[in-house]
Amino acid sequence: MVLEELIENCKKNDVKAQGELYKLYSGKLYSICLKYSKDADEAQDNLQDAFITIFKSIEQFQYRGSFEGWIKRITVNTVLQKYRKERVFEIINEQQIEQEEEVEVDESQLSLKFLLEIIQALPDRYRLVFNLYVLDGYSHQEIATMLEITEGTSKSNLARARMILKTKIEEYYKRAANN
């Protein structure tokens, strides 16, 4: 089935078309959910919530831009909305922001699995800002708008995320050197 036909059938609440669309995009959207979630179970819940939102909103898709980009945006927004409701962010004063320190990482020694694990272990507020800024390339201003926080809070949460990750990577290197 051609994507346009699949989308049109989903707009008619065709369950078979919805299943096909799920099969087609669930892997890509799951990886997005995994990036923003604490663990695989939470990522799966977020994926289901995202697809519910996609199917409820698919009528609004007007074929401007890519469909994949549209559903990825819905997925990110669905996950972020959950955290906005939980108010996981620590509002801080701009003067509290410490200077960001660059972390030197030899990526050849770190597995993707390890990096994903330590990012997922970050507190929600740090993980979300880190992923949006570092992995997805959003500015602090965009993050502040998306998460309903100040730019200073975004900067602070990023700096703290980096400090935690730096500590975990340094611990990993020390363990590797001792073995």
Side-chain angles (χ1 to χ4, degrees), residues 80-96:
L80 296 181
Q81 183 64 33
K82 173 185 171 188
Y83 291 111
R84 278 195 295 264
K85 286 179 183 174
E86 292 177 6
R87 288 302 203 194
V88 298
F89 297 97
E90 174 183 346
I91 307 302
I92 56 101
N93 184 320
E94 295 248 1
Q95 284 81 27
Q96 292 176 295

Side-chain angles (χ1 to χ4, degrees), residues 25-39:
Y25 288 105
S26 61
K28 289 179 183 178
L29 298 183
Y30 177 74
S31 66
I32 292 170
C33 291
L34 194 58
K35 188 167 59 170
Y36 290 99
S37 303
K38 291 177 207 155
D39 55 37

Side-chain angles (χ1 to χ4, degrees), residues 72-168:
K72 284 180 177 180
R73 179 64 123 183
I74 286 177
T75 302
V76 170
N77 286 334
T78 299
V79 174
L80 296 181
Q81 183 64 33
K82 173 185 171 188
Y83 291 111
R84 278 195 295 264
K85 286 179 183 174
E86 292 177 6
R87 288 302 203 194
V88 298
F89 297 97
E90 174 183 346
I91 307 302
I92 56 101
N93 184 320
E94 295 248 1
Q95 284 81 27
Q96 292 176 295
I97 301 171
E98 298 174 19
Q99 193 68 1
E100 291 183 16
E101 185 178 331
E102 287 299 315
V103 180
E104 292 293 323
V105 176
D106 180 0
E107 294 170 7
S108 65
Q109 292 185 13
L110 299 175
S111 71
L112 184 58
K113 182 178 186 266
F114 171 74
L115 290 173
L116 184 59
E117 285 174 4
I118 64 173
I119 291 170
Q120 286 179 320
L122 288 169
D124 294 339
R125 61 186 174 263
Y126 302 156
R127 183 181 66 252
L128 292 173
V129 172
F130 179 84
N131 284 331
L132 288 167
Y133 187 85
V134 175
L135 302 179
D136 292 332
Y138 289 100
S139 70
H140 286 295
Q141 183 178 6
E142 291 169 318
I143 294 168
T145 301
M146 292 169 78
L147 300 177
E148 299 173 356
I149 58 176
T150 66
E151 283 185 58
T153 298
S154 177
K155 290 175 183 178
S156 172
N157 287 336
L158 176 63
R160 291 178 183 170
R162 284 182 166 165
M163 285 186 340
I164 291 168
L165 293 173
K166 178 183 177 201
T167 301
K168 290 184 185 237

Side-chain angles (χ1 to χ4, degrees), residues 39-55:
D39 55 37
D41 289 336
E42 184 177 88
Q44 191 63 45
D45 289 345
N46 287 333
L47 177 66
Q48 297 309 316
D49 292 342
F51 267 104
I52 289 169
T53 304
I54 289 165
F55 292 137

